[in-house]
Amino acid sequence: MNAASFYSKVPRHLVAVDCIIFGFDEGKLKLLVIKRKVAPMAGEWSLVGGFVQTDESTDDAAARVLKLTTGLDDIYMDQLHCYGEVARDTGARVISVAYYALIRIKDHDKPLAQEHGAHWLELENMPELIFDHKKMIEDALVKLRDNAQFHPIGFELLPEKFTLSQLRCLYEEIYGRTLDKRNFRKKILSLDVMEKLEEKDKTSSKKGAHLYRFDADKYDQLKRKGLVFEI
Amino acid sequence: MNAASFYSKVPRHLVAVDCIIFGFDEGKLKLLVIKRKVAPMAGEWSLVGGFVQTDESTDDAAARVLKLTTGLDDIYMDQLHCYGEVARDTGARVISVAYYALIRIKDHDKPLAQEHGAHWLELENMPELIFDHKKMIEDALVKLRDNAQFHPIGFELLPEKFTLSQLRCLYEEIYGRTLDKRNFRKKILSLDVMEKLEEKDKTSSKKGAHLYRFDADKYDQLKRKGLVFEI
DNA sequence: GCAAAAGTGTTCCAGATACACCCATGG
DNA sequence: CCATGGGTGTATCTGGAACACTTTTGC
């Protein structure tokens, strides 16, 4: 059999990407979701998505969709899972590859997002979503937890400069449980991957809290030497 | 926009599944690979795969492909990753969803496998493979390690009755390092998820080693009570 | 002066690691 | 009788968990 006859007569499918876009604001994990504009399910809440084009990889498609809605490039994104049930999309048979992204809410293009009907909703208070998007979000949260424990991805959700309280609050949100203040400080500081700045943040206390910055270069160096990041 | 116009004019893609089929035999992790029969790359080593049909989910397609080559049903399978680079398949643009499966080599339909040109090759001594199949295998091994540590999936690779030495040997293969005999026994037995049988296996020692059987019901009970499986 | 968040150390316990010898048996 | 793999217990160490008071300063 030659290549032409091997690949011909094979069914072709619509392939979509859906993005679970995490943000962190006001001490809460949030997701960027949109009011769907097209039938079926127009007007319902949906993840941000789009179809994979002929000349782009699925990774590229996810990056394109993210940029289209947030204006952001060069963002932490990871593939979550491919959802391939025949009837998962009620409009047509669509195979969807889901990605999750971590962004700094402050950095995104707010007008652009609004133009696309996008809203930041609290993870803990998600409305009904179309198709299997709820399941995607659940799966993404599990994966986020797993990854955040052993990789320094939490910093992707915080501003460049942040306080230890903010960082702890973020991890508490991700893990869904409280963390001991002293143990958390001890552990994260012992990793020695953050730079302590002179500046203090006074927005949330009279005393002021030191700001820190994640040092990616230092992390890479230490990782090569065998550092095991764990929070 | 209505549904018909929304979904029309969207490019459609060939979607394949590829299966990384792990087995364990003679103390070694092995993979079931085939000599590819069709162009391009006919005659080269390849993972077992096939195209996703119109009426089947990607999970179903993977299960179908596995059954076709091994005769086995109802096997541990988990999705690995969706590989979506545009040019990953040199014959056409094919998006591939990879799955990995754990089977008991002794249970598979050997003649059927041979008929499909399938061979069990040692993981440590893999030849070159077509396309990105090498990468898929590497990714699968990472995922297998991660999963085996916290889920009792190692048992899927062993016969129903096995000795502690066999089990330890399997984990040594998976992790790629030796494990202390006494510590391993202590840990695995303390989980209390295996039934100790009266029978002994004398094939590998004069004294004979007790056979054990994994007790899935007991594991499920203990898990509900909060047992954390970890090896 | 007081409210509100920042910052700081020690004790305790569980689980991981390291390690060496006797046992049973077929040949 | 000896070679081979099976089976066993203890001491030590490390890292996680629990826990409460002082500091700073804006109001």
Side-chain angles (χ1 to χ4, degrees), chain A residues 108-127:
Chain A
H108 87 293
D109 186 336
K110 215 164 177 175
L112 183 67
Q114 280 174 350
E115 189 183 311
H116 282 82
H119 301 257
W120 286 100
L121 301 187
E122 280 186 21
L123 184 59
E124 284 183 10
N125 213 0
M126 268 300 132

mmCIF file with all atom_site columns, all heavy atoms in Angstrom, chain A residues 108-127:
data_model
loop_
_atom_site.group_PDB
_atom_site.id
_atom_site.type_symbol
_atom_site.label_atom_id
_atom_site.label_alt_id
_atom_site.label_comp_id
_atom_site.label_asym_id
_atom_site.label_entity_id
_atom_site.label_seq_id
_atom_site.pdbx_PDB_ins_code
_atom_site.Cartn_x
_atom_site.Cartn_y
_atom_site.Cartn_z
_atom_site.occupancy
_atom_site.B_iso_or_equiv
_atom_site.pdbx_formal_charge
_atom_site.auth_seq_id
_atom_site.auth_comp_id
_atom_site.auth_asym_id
_atom_site.auth_atom_id
_atom_site.pdbx_PDB_model_num
ATOM 1   N N   . HIS A 1 108 ? -3.132  41.351 31.650 1.00 0.00 ? 108 HIS A N   1
ATOM 2   C CA  . HIS A 1 108 ? -3.874  41.056 30.427 1.00 0.00 ? 108 HIS A CA  1
ATOM 3   C C   . HIS A 1 108 ? -4.583  42.295 29.888 1.00 0.00 ? 108 HIS A C   1
ATOM 4   O O   . HIS A 1 108 ? -4.791  43.282 30.591 1.00 0.00 ? 108 HIS A O   1
ATOM 5   C CB  . HIS A 1 108 ? -4.861  39.909 30.662 1.00 0.00 ? 108 HIS A CB  1
ATOM 6   C CG  . HIS A 1 108 ? -6.193  40.323 31.194 1.00 0.00 ? 108 HIS A CG  1
ATOM 7   N ND1 . HIS A 1 108 ? -6.365  40.848 32.436 1.00 0.00 ? 108 HIS A ND1 1
ATOM 8   C CD2 . HIS A 1 108 ? -7.433  40.278 30.641 1.00 0.00 ? 108 HIS A CD2 1
ATOM 9   C CE1 . HIS A 1 108 ? -7.640  41.116 32.629 1.00 0.00 ? 108 HIS A CE1 1
ATOM 10  N NE2 . HIS A 1 108 ? -8.316  40.785 31.565 1.00 0.00 ? 108 HIS A NE2 1
ATOM 11  N N   . ASP A 1 109 ? -4.961  42.205 28.634 1.00 0.00 ? 109 ASP A N   1
ATOM 12  C CA  . ASP A 1 109 ? -5.593  43.310 27.914 1.00 0.00 ? 109 ASP A CA  1
ATOM 13  C C   . ASP A 1 109 ? -7.093  43.290 28.221 1.00 0.00 ? 109 ASP A C   1
ATOM 14  O O   . ASP A 1 109 ? -7.853  42.569 27.597 1.00 0.00 ? 109 ASP A O   1
ATOM 15  C CB  . ASP A 1 109 ? -5.327  43.096 26.421 1.00 0.00 ? 109 ASP A CB  1
ATOM 16  C CG  . ASP A 1 109 ? -5.824  44.268 25.592 1.00 0.00 ? 109 ASP A CG  1
ATOM 17  O OD1 . ASP A 1 109 ? -6.735  44.989 26.051 1.00 0.00 ? 109 ASP A OD1 1
ATOM 18  O OD2 . ASP A 1 109 ? -5.291  44.454 24.487 1.00 0.00 ? 109 ASP A OD2 1
ATOM 19  N N   . LYS A 1 110 ? -7.463  44.083 29.190 1.00 0.00 ? 110 LYS A N   1
ATOM 20  C CA  . LYS A 1 110 ? -8.837  44.047 29.690 1.00 0.00 ? 110 LYS A CA  1
ATOM 21  C C   . LYS A 1 110 ? -9.869  44.412 28.614 1.00 0.00 ? 110 LYS A C   1
ATOM 22  O O   . LYS A 1 110 ? -10.847 43.686 28.438 1.00 0.00 ? 110 LYS A O   1
ATOM 23  C CB  . LYS A 1 110 ? -8.969  45.011 30.877 1.00 0.00 ? 110 LYS A CB  1
ATOM 24  C CG  . LYS A 1 110 ? -9.906  44.546 31.960 1.00 0.00 ? 110 LYS A CG  1
ATOM 25  C CD  . LYS A 1 110 ? -9.673  45.360 33.232 1.00 0.00 ? 110 LYS A CD  1
ATOM 26  C CE  . LYS A 1 110 ? -10.638 44.996 34.336 1.00 0.00 ? 110 LYS A CE  1
ATOM 27  N NZ  . LYS A 1 110 ? -10.295 45.715 35.590 1.00 0.00 ? 110 LYS A NZ  1
ATOM 28  N N   . PRO A 1 111 ? -9.648  45.509 27.888 1.00 0.00 ? 111 PRO A N   1
ATOM 29  C CA  . PRO A 1 111 ? -10.633 45.846 26.844 1.00 0.00 ? 111 PRO A CA  1
ATOM 30  C C   . PRO A 1 111 ? -10.787 44.720 25.824 1.00 0.00 ? 111 PRO A C   1
ATOM 31  O O   . PRO A 1 111 ? -11.904 44.400 25.415 1.00 0.00 ? 111 PRO A O   1
ATOM 32  C CB  . PRO A 1 111 ? -10.025 47.089 26.188 1.00 0.00 ? 111 PRO A CB  1
ATOM 33  C CG  . PRO A 1 111 ? -9.122  47.676 27.216 1.00 0.00 ? 111 PRO A CG  1
ATOM 34  C CD  . PRO A 1 111 ? -8.581  46.526 27.995 1.00 0.00 ? 111 PRO A CD  1
ATOM 35  N N   . LEU A 1 112 ? -9.660  44.123 25.451 1.00 0.00 ? 112 LEU A N   1
ATOM 36  C CA  . LEU A 1 112 ? -9.709  43.027 24.477 1.00 0.00 ? 112 LEU A CA  1
ATOM 37  C C   . LEU A 1 112 ? -10.551 41.866 25.026 1.00 0.00 ? 112 LEU A C   1
ATOM 38  O O   . LEU A 1 112 ? -11.386 41.291 24.326 1.00 0.00 ? 112 LEU A O   1
ATOM 39  C CB  . LEU A 1 112 ? -8.291  42.545 24.176 1.00 0.00 ? 112 LEU A CB  1
ATOM 40  C CG  . LEU A 1 112 ? -8.162  41.449 23.116 1.00 0.00 ? 112 LEU A CG  1
ATOM 41  C CD1 . LEU A 1 112 ? -8.541  41.965 21.743 1.00 0.00 ? 112 LEU A CD1 1
ATOM 42  C CD2 . LEU A 1 112 ? -6.740  40.879 23.089 1.00 0.00 ? 112 LEU A CD2 1
ATOM 43  N N   . ALA A 1 113 ? -10.317 41.550 26.278 1.00 0.00 ? 113 ALA A N   1
ATOM 44  C CA  . ALA A 1 113 ? -11.070 40.466 26.895 1.00 0.00 ? 113 ALA A CA  1
ATOM 45  C C   . ALA A 1 113 ? -12.567 40.783 26.903 1.00 0.00 ? 113 ALA A C   1
ATOM 46  O O   . ALA A 1 113 ? -13.399 39.938 26.563 1.00 0.00 ? 113 ALA A O   1
ATOM 47  C CB  . ALA A 1 113 ? -10.568 40.222 28.318 1.00 0.00 ? 113 ALA A CB  1
ATOM 48  N N   . GLN A 1 114 ? -12.876 42.023 27.277 1.00 0.00 ? 114 GLN A N   1
ATOM 49  C CA  . GLN A 1 114 ? -14.285 42.419 27.331 1.00 0.00 ? 114 GLN A CA  1
ATOM 50  C C   . GLN A 1 114 ? -14.941 42.341 25.956 1.00 0.00 ? 114 GLN A C   1
ATOM 51  O O   . GLN A 1 114 ? -16.073 41.895 25.812 1.00 0.00 ? 114 GLN A O   1
ATOM 52  C CB  . GLN A 1 114 ? -14.421 43.828 27.912 1.00 0.00 ? 114 GLN A CB  1
ATOM 53  C CG  . GLN A 1 114 ? -14.337 43.821 29.433 1.00 0.00 ? 114 GLN A CG  1
ATOM 54  C CD  . GLN A 1 114 ? -14.315 45.211 30.034 1.00 0.00 ? 114 GLN A CD  1
ATOM 55  O OE1 . GLN A 1 114 ? -14.185 46.211 29.326 1.00 0.00 ? 114 GLN A OE1 1
ATOM 56  N NE2 . GLN A 1 114 ? -14.435 45.278 31.357 1.00 0.00 ? 114 GLN A NE2 1
ATOM 57  N N   . GLU A 1 115 ? -14.164 42.765 24.973 1.00 0.00 ? 115 GLU A N   1
ATOM 58  C CA  . GLU A 1 115 ? -14.640 42.725 23.595 1.00 0.00 ? 115 GLU A CA  1
ATOM 59  C C   . GLU A 1 115 ? -15.035 41.297 23.192 1.00 0.00 ? 115 GLU A C   1
ATOM 60  O O   . GLU A 1 115 ? -15.943 41.088 22.398 1.00 0.00 ? 115 GLU A O   1
ATOM 61  C CB  . GLU A 1 115 ? -13.489 43.235 22.720 1.00 0.00 ? 115 GLU A CB  1
ATOM 62  C CG  . GLU A 1 115 ? -13.787 43.484 21.276 1.00 0.00 ? 115 GLU A CG  1
ATOM 63  C CD  . GLU A 1 115 ? -12.493 43.915 20.579 1.00 0.00 ? 115 GLU A CD  1
ATOM 64  O OE1 . GLU A 1 115 ? -11.793 44.820 21.112 1.00 0.00 ? 115 GLU A OE1 1
ATOM 65  O OE2 . GLU A 1 115 ? -12.164 43.323 19.545 1.00 0.00 ? 115 GLU A OE2 1
ATOM 66  N N   . HIS A 1 116 ? -14.327 40.316 23.739 1.00 0.00 ? 116 HIS A N   1
ATOM 67  C CA  . HIS A 1 116 ? -14.629 38.919 23.434 1.00 0.00 ? 116 HIS A CA  1
ATOM 68  C C   . HIS A 1 116 ? -15.656 38.320 24.396 1.00 0.00 ? 116 HIS A C   1
ATOM 69  O O   . HIS A 1 116 ? -15.885 37.117 24.386 1.00 0.00 ? 116 HIS A O   1
ATOM 70  C CB  . HIS A 1 116 ? -13.349 38.077 23.461 1.00 0.00 ? 116 HIS A CB  1
ATOM 71  C CG  . HIS A 1 116 ? -12.510 38.235 22.235 1.00 0.00 ? 116 HIS A CG  1
ATOM 72  N ND1 . HIS A 1 116 ? -11.629 39.288 22.059 1.00 0.00 ? 116 HIS A ND1 1
ATOM 73  C CD2 . HIS A 1 116 ? -12.440 37.502 21.092 1.00 0.00 ? 116 HIS A CD2 1
ATOM 74  C CE1 . HIS A 1 116 ? -11.041 39.175 20.886 1.00 0.00 ? 116 HIS A CE1 1
ATOM 75  N NE2 . HIS A 1 116 ? -11.516 38.114 20.277 1.00 0.00 ? 116 HIS A NE2 1
ATOM 76  N N   . GLY A 1 117 ? -16.214 39.171 25.233 1.00 0.00 ? 117 GLY A N   1
ATOM 77  C CA  . GLY A 1 117 ? -17.212 38.656 26.175 1.00 0.00 ? 117 GLY A CA  1
ATOM 78  C C   . GLY A 1 117 ? -16.612 37.812 27.281 1.00 0.00 ? 117 GLY A C   1
ATOM 79  O O   . GLY A 1 117 ? -17.273 36.929 27.833 1.00 0.00 ? 117 GLY A O   1
ATOM 80  N N   . ALA A 1 118 ? -15.347 38.080 27.592 1.00 0.00 ? 118 ALA A N   1
ATOM 81  C CA  . ALA A 1 118 ? -14.675 37.272 28.607 1.00 0.00 ? 118 ALA A CA  1
ATOM 82  C C   . ALA A 1 118 ? -14.821 37.898 29.994 1.00 0.00 ? 118 ALA A C   1
ATOM 83  O O   . ALA A 1 118 ? -14.817 39.118 30.139 1.00 0.00 ? 118 ALA A O   1
ATOM 84  C CB  . ALA A 1 118 ? -13.202 37.124 28.261 1.00 0.00 ? 118 ALA A CB  1
ATOM 85  N N   . HIS A 1 119 ? -14.941 37.046 31.016 1.00 0.00 ? 119 HIS A N   1
ATOM 86  C CA  . HIS A 1 119 ? -15.084 37.508 32.393 1.00 0.00 ? 119 HIS A CA  1
ATOM 87  C C   . HIS A 1 119 ? -14.219 36.637 33.304 1.00 0.00 ? 119 HIS A C   1
ATOM 88  O O   . HIS A 1 119 ? -14.086 35.442 33.075 1.00 0.00 ? 119 HIS A O   1
ATOM 89  C CB  . HIS A 1 119 ? -16.542 37.377 32.847 1.00 0.00 ? 119 HIS A CB  1
ATOM 90  C CG  . HIS A 1 119 ? -17.519 38.138 32.019 1.00 0.00 ? 119 HIS A CG  1
ATOM 91  N ND1 . HIS A 1 119 ? -18.077 39.337 32.429 1.00 0.00 ? 119 HIS A ND1 1
ATOM 92  C CD2 . HIS A 1 119 ? -18.030 37.878 30.793 1.00 0.00 ? 119 HIS A CD2 1
ATOM 93  C CE1 . HIS A 1 119 ? -18.902 39.770 31.492 1.00 0.00 ? 119 HIS A CE1 1
ATOM 94  N NE2 . HIS A 1 119 ? -18.902 38.908 30.485 1.00 0.00 ? 119 HIS A NE2 1
ATOM 95  N N   . TRP A 1 120 ? -13.705 37.273 34.333 1.00 0.00 ? 120 TRP A N   1
ATOM 96  C CA  . TRP A 1 120 ? -12.980 36.523 35.355 1.00 0.00 ? 120 TRP A CA  1
ATOM 97  C C   . TRP A 1 120 ? -13.963 36.094 36.426 1.00 0.00 ? 120 TRP A C   1
ATOM 98  O O   . TRP A 1 120 ? -14.535 36.927 37.119 1.00 0.00 ? 120 TRP A O   1
ATOM 99  C CB  . TRP A 1 120 ? -11.884 37.384 35.978 1.00 0.00 ? 120 TRP A CB  1
ATOM 100 C CG  . TRP A 1 120 ? -10.722 37.580 35.065 1.00 0.00 ? 120 TRP A CG  1
ATOM 101 C CD1 . TRP A 1 120 ? -10.451 38.671 34.292 1.00 0.00 ? 120 TRP A CD1 1
ATOM 102 C CD2 . TRP A 1 120 ? -9.664  36.643 34.819 1.00 0.00 ? 120 TRP A CD2 1
ATOM 103 N NE1 . TRP A 1 120 ? -9.298  38.479 33.573 1.00 0.00 ? 120 TRP A NE1 1
ATOM 104 C CE2 . TRP A 1 120 ? -8.789  37.238 33.874 1.00 0.00 ? 120 TRP A CE2 1
ATOM 105 C CE3 . TRP A 1 120 ? -9.375  35.361 35.289 1.00 0.00 ? 120 TRP A CE3 1
ATOM 106 C CZ2 . TRP A 1 120 ? -7.646  36.581 33.408 1.00 0.00 ? 120 TRP A CZ2 1
ATOM 107 C CZ3 . TRP A 1 120 ? -8.235  34.722 34.821 1.00 0.00 ? 120 TRP A CZ3 1
ATOM 108 C CH2 . TRP A 1 120 ? -7.380  35.325 33.898 1.00 0.00 ? 120 TRP A CH2 1
ATOM 109 N N   . LEU A 1 121 ? -14.141 34.798 36.583 1.00 0.00 ? 121 LEU A N   1
ATOM 110 C CA  . LEU A 1 121 ? -15.051 34.301 37.614 1.00 0.00 ? 121 LEU A CA  1
ATOM 111 C C   . LEU A 1 121 ? -14.273 33.478 38.625 1.00 0.00 ? 121 LEU A C   1
ATOM 112 O O   . LEU A 1 121 ? -13.307 32.793 38.278 1.00 0.00 ? 121 LEU A O   1
ATOM 113 C CB  . LEU A 1 121 ? -16.140 33.428 36.982 1.00 0.00 ? 121 LEU A CB  1
ATOM 114 C CG  . LEU A 1 121 ? -17.030 34.096 35.925 1.00 0.00 ? 121 LEU A CG  1
ATOM 115 C CD1 . LEU A 1 121 ? -18.150 33.151 35.527 1.00 0.00 ? 121 LEU A CD1 1
ATOM 116 C CD2 . LEU A 1 121 ? -17.596 35.420 36.428 1.00 0.00 ? 121 LEU A CD2 1
ATOM 117 N N   . GLU A 1 122 ? -14.720 33.545 39.878 1.00 0.00 ? 122 GLU A N   1
ATOM 118 C CA  . GLU A 1 122 ? -14.034 32.784 40.915 1.00 0.00 ? 122 GLU A CA  1
ATOM 119 C C   . GLU A 1 122 ? -14.218 31.286 40.693 1.00 0.00 ? 122 GLU A C   1
ATOM 120 O O   . GLU A 1 122 ? -15.318 30.811 40.455 1.00 0.00 ? 122 GLU A O   1
ATOM 121 C CB  . GLU A 1 122 ? -14.605 33.137 42.293 1.00 0.00 ? 122 GLU A CB  1
ATOM 122 C CG  . GLU A 1 122 ? -14.055 34.434 42.821 1.00 0.00 ? 122 GLU A CG  1
ATOM 123 C CD  . GLU A 1 122 ? -14.505 34.696 44.248 1.00 0.00 ? 122 GLU A CD  1
ATOM 124 O OE1 . GLU A 1 122 ? -14.884 33.730 44.939 1.00 0.00 ? 122 GLU A OE1 1
ATOM 125 O OE2 . GLU A 1 122 ? -14.478 35.863 44.666 1.00 0.00 ? 122 GLU A OE2 1
ATOM 126 N N   . LEU A 1 123 ? -13.102 30.596 40.822 1.00 0.00 ? 123 LEU A N   1
ATOM 127 C CA  . LEU A 1 123 ? -13.108 29.146 40.639 1.00 0.00 ? 123 LEU A CA  1
ATOM 128 C C   . LEU A 1 123 ? -14.112 28.482 41.565 1.00 0.00 ? 123 LEU A C   1
ATOM 129 O O   . LEU A 1 123 ? -14.800 27.524 41.187 1.00 0.00 ? 123 LEU A O   1
ATOM 130 C CB  . LEU A 1 123 ? -11.697 28.614 40.927 1.00 0.00 ? 123 LEU A CB  1
ATOM 131 C CG  . LEU A 1 123 ? -11.448 27.136 40.713 1.00 0.00 ? 123 LEU A CG  1
ATOM 132 C CD1 . LEU A 1 123 ? -11.740 26.742 39.281 1.00 0.00 ? 123 LEU A CD1 1
ATOM 133 C CD2 . LEU A 1 123 ? -10.009 26.792 41.065 1.00 0.00 ? 123 LEU A CD2 1
ATOM 134 N N   . GLU A 1 124 ? -14.205 29.014 42.772 1.00 0.00 ? 124 GLU A N   1
ATOM 135 C CA  . GLU A 1 124 ? -15.079 28.379 43.759 1.00 0.00 ? 124 GLU A CA  1
ATOM 136 C C   . GLU A 1 124 ? -16.545 28.627 43.499 1.00 0.00 ? 124 GLU A C   1
ATOM 137 O O   . GLU A 1 124 ? -17.399 28.087 44.190 1.00 0.00 ? 124 GLU A O   1
ATOM 138 C CB  . GLU A 1 124 ? -14.751 28.904 45.168 1.00 0.00 ? 124 GLU A CB  1
ATOM 139 C CG  . GLU A 1 124 ? -13.492 28.305 45.720 1.00 0.00 ? 124 GLU A CG  1
ATOM 140 C CD  . GLU A 1 124 ? -13.237 28.799 47.142 1.00 0.00 ? 124 GLU A CD  1
ATOM 141 O OE1 . GLU A 1 124 ? -14.137 29.441 47.718 1.00 0.00 ? 124 GLU A OE1 1
ATOM 142 O OE2 . GLU A 1 124 ? -12.138 28.527 47.640 1.00 0.00 ? 124 GLU A OE2 1
ATOM 143 N N   . ASN A 1 125 ? -16.808 29.462 42.551 1.00 0.00 ? 125 ASN A N   1
ATOM 144 C CA  . ASN A 1 125 ? -18.195 29.863 42.348 1.00 0.00 ? 125 ASN A CA  1
ATOM 145 C C   . ASN A 1 125 ? -18.544 29.813 40.866 1.00 0.00 ? 125 ASN A C   1
ATOM 146 O O   . ASN A 1 125 ? -19.182 30.719 40.342 1.00 0.00 ? 125 ASN A O   1
ATOM 147 C CB  . ASN A 1 125 ? -18.367 31.286 42.893 1.00 0.00 ? 125 ASN A CB  1
ATOM 148 C CG  . ASN A 1 125 ? -19.742 31.493 43.459 1.00 0.00 ? 125 ASN A CG  1
ATOM 149 O OD1 . ASN A 1 125 ? -20.563 30.569 43.439 1.00 0.00 ? 125 ASN A OD1 1
ATOM 150 N ND2 . ASN A 1 125 ? -20.010 32.694 43.923 1.00 0.00 ? 125 ASN A ND2 1
ATOM 151 N N   . MET A 1 126 ? -18.121 28.737 40.231 1.00 0.00 ? 126 MET A N   1
ATOM 152 C CA  . MET A 1 126 ? -18.302 28.626 38.782 1.00 0.00 ? 126 MET A CA  1
ATOM 153 C C   . MET A 1 126 ? -19.766 28.330 38.450 1.00 0.00 ? 126 MET A C   1
ATOM 154 O O   . MET A 1 126 ? -20.383 27.484 39.093 1.00 0.00 ? 126 MET A O   1
ATOM 155 C CB  . MET A 1 126 ? -17.480 27.454 38.239 1.00 0.00 ? 126 MET A CB  1
ATOM 156 C CG  . MET A 1 126 ? -16.101 27.799 37.777 1.00 0.00 ? 126 MET A CG  1
ATOM 157 S SD  . MET A 1 126 ? -16.025 28.989 36.442 1.00 0.00 ? 126 MET A SD  1
ATOM 158 C CE  . MET A 1 126 ? -14.795 30.082 37.118 1.00 0.00 ? 126 MET A CE  1
ATOM 159 N N   . PRO A 1 127 ? -20.275 28.998 37.448 1.00 0.00 ? 127 PRO A N   1
ATOM 160 C CA  . PRO A 1 127 ? -21.624 28.663 36.990 1.00 0.00 ? 127 PRO A CA  1
ATOM 161 C C   . PRO A 1 127 ? -21.578 27.382 36.155 1.00 0.00 ? 127 PRO A C   1
ATOM 162 O O   . PRO A 1 127 ? -20.511 26.811 35.949 1.00 0.00 ? 127 PRO A O   1
ATOM 163 C CB  . PRO A 1 127 ? -21.975 29.857 36.109 1.00 0.00 ? 127 PRO A CB  1
ATOM 164 C CG  . PRO A 1 127 ? -20.668 30.326 35.580 1.00 0.00 ? 127 PRO A CG  1
ATOM 165 C CD  . PRO A 1 127 ? -19.657 30.066 36.664 1.00 0.00 ? 127 PRO A CD  1
#
